[in-house]
Amino acid sequence: MSKRIRRQTPRAERRLRAMELSRLSLVRMALVGGASLTLALVAYLVLSRIPTVTQPHTGATARTTGYAMAALGQGITVKGQLLEGPGVQFVVVPDCTPLAPIMLLVGAILVFPAAIRDKLLGIAVGVVFLSVLNLVRIVSLMF
C-alpha cells in the first residue's frame, strides 16, 4: 500500500509561513514589551525618588488642580505642592502625578507593531487622556 504524499498549494505554504512569522512577531513583541514595561517601571521608581525631577511635576499637578477647583467655584489655595481648602489639606506627592501611567503607556505603545506616526499620535492622545483622568481623580478627592 502506497502512501500518497499530498503537496500543499503555494497559497497554503504562504499562509503557513505567515502564521509562523506572526507567532515569532508575537513572541518578540511579548519579550520586548515585557522588557520595555519593566524598564519604564524601574525608571519611574528611580526618578520618583529624586526631588529635582518630581517637584516640577507635583507643582504642576497642584496648580492644575487649583485651576480646576477654581473653575468649579471652590476656594482652594495652592502653595507649592500643598492644596488647602475649607476643612481639607492635601500635599501632592509624586504618586499623584500621571507620570507612572504615562511611562507605562509609552512603553506599551512603543513595542506595539505600528507606524511611527500612529505611535506618536497614540502617545499624544494617551498623555492628554491620562492627564485629564488624573486631574478628575484628584479633584474628586477634594470634595
Side-chain angles (χ1 to χ4, degrees), residues 48-109:
S48 68
R49 306 299 176 241
I50 304 171
T52 55
V53 173
T54 59
Q55 284 177 349
H57 298 289
T58 54
T61 300
R63 285 189 304 278
T64 307
T65 304
Y67 296 143
M69 294 300 289
L72 293 171
Q74 301 295 315
I76 297 293
T77 306
V78 180
K79 296 177 186 170
Q81 299 164 342
L82 179 67
L83 296 168
E84 292 181 305
V88 67
Q89 281 187 334
F90 279 103
V91 176
V92 177
V93 295
D95 292 337
C96 294
T97 66
L99 289 180
I102 287 173
M103 290 180 82
L104 289 174
L105 175 77
V106 169
I109 288 176

Side-chain angles (χ1 to χ4, degrees), residues 3-71:
K3 289 185 180 180
R4 275 195 194 189
I5 298 176
R6 186 173 173 181
R7 282 199 48 103
Q8 295 180 346
T9 64
R11 184 176 179 185
E13 287 177 10
R14 280 194 304 268
R15 239 187 268 151
L16 283 174
R17 245 182 278 132
M19 285 174 47
E20 288 172 8
L21 287 176
S22 68
R23 277 191 218 122
L24 288 175
S25 294
L26 287 174
V27 169
R28 180 186 160 273
M29 189 171 87
L31 291 175
V32 172
S36 174
L37 293 176
T38 302
L39 181 63
L41 182 60
V42 168
Y44 170 74
L45 291 174
V46 169
L47 293 176
S48 68
R49 306 299 176 241
I50 304 171
T52 55
V53 173
T54 59
Q55 284 177 349
H57 298 289
T58 54
T61 300
R63 285 189 304 278
T64 307
T65 304
Y67 296 143
M69 294 300 289

